[in-house]
Amino acid sequence: MKVQRRRHPSNVHVPKSAGSAVEIEVSAPIAEQFAALGEDERWLFARPDSGELPDDRDLQQHVIRPAAEAAGCYFAGFGMHTFRPMKVSWSQQAGETPMDAMHLGRHASLGMTLKYTVLHGDRRKSILDGLVKMSGKTDGGVQ
């Protein structure tokens, strides 16, 4: 699949840079969903009645928030900009290196990827437990 255009509330245009207009890998279920659309020019979240692109606020209110609530992962502030840090963080928790996450996140620098990386409570605890275990202390490092 190739990223061929970007949408900003005021216009639809080519991607911002040549580096953004690249082939991207998607999982099989996502590829199947795009193939089911039957047209290369359709938007994934087009309005079913008109085929027009909804406003970002419409997507948030009528698509993203209800889906997040149904999945039990909604929190105040959840929205379009939640997905990228989640993807970068989860990919690293799944075993990717920070460099892998950098390339998948389409970041130009590792520093940007690290800004997007969020360690969740379970992951933080696992790391701390591992450090204590490596130190050979059984009291959690408290002296």
Side-chain angles (χ1 to χ4, degrees):
M1 175 178 305
K2 187 168 186 145
V3 175
Q4 299 179 43
R5 58 191 171 172
R6 67 178 171 86
R7 179 179 181 266
H8 184 273
S10 62
N11 66 30
V12 174
H13 208 273
V14 297
K16 287 192 246 181
S17 69
S20 297
V22 297
E23 292 287 330
I24 58 170
E25 293 181 29
V26 295
S27 65
I30 298 295
E32 290 168 11
Q33 288 180 10
F34 274 109
L37 292 174
E39 302 172 29
D40 289 338
E41 295 301 313
R42 278 201 56 192
W43 292 93
L44 183 60
F45 293 113
R47 288 192 171 121
D49 55 344
S50 66
E52 300 223 358
L53 209 51
D55 181 271
D56 289 351
R57 294 166 294 190
D58 289 341
L59 280 175
Q60 174 67 24
Q61 181 180 3
H62 300 294
V63 177
I64 295 169
R65 183 176 180 159
E69 288 173 338
C73 64
Y74 179 79
F75 55 86
F78 188 98
M80 297 288 278
H81 297 287
T82 304
F83 297 115
R84 197 161 195 180
M86 284 172 53
K87 178 182 184 266
V88 169
S89 298
W90 288 353
S91 67
Q92 291 180 69
Q93 290 181 27
E96 287 184 354
T97 67
M99 289 298 289
D100 293 332
M102 180 185 91
H103 291 291
L104 285 171
R106 308 289 310 140
H107 295 144
S109 72
L110 188 56
M112 180 57 72
T113 301
L114 295 176
K115 288 179 183 179
Y116 274 82
T117 301
V118 177
L119 286 179
H120 298 282
D122 291 345
R123 178 74 173 145
R124 285 193 301 264
K125 184 176 181 331
S126 173
I127 291 168
L128 292 172
D129 288 348
L131 290 171
V132 169
K133 187 176 181 180
M134 285 174 49
S135 75
K137 296 185 182 232
T138 57
D139 60 1
V142 178
Q143 295 187 12

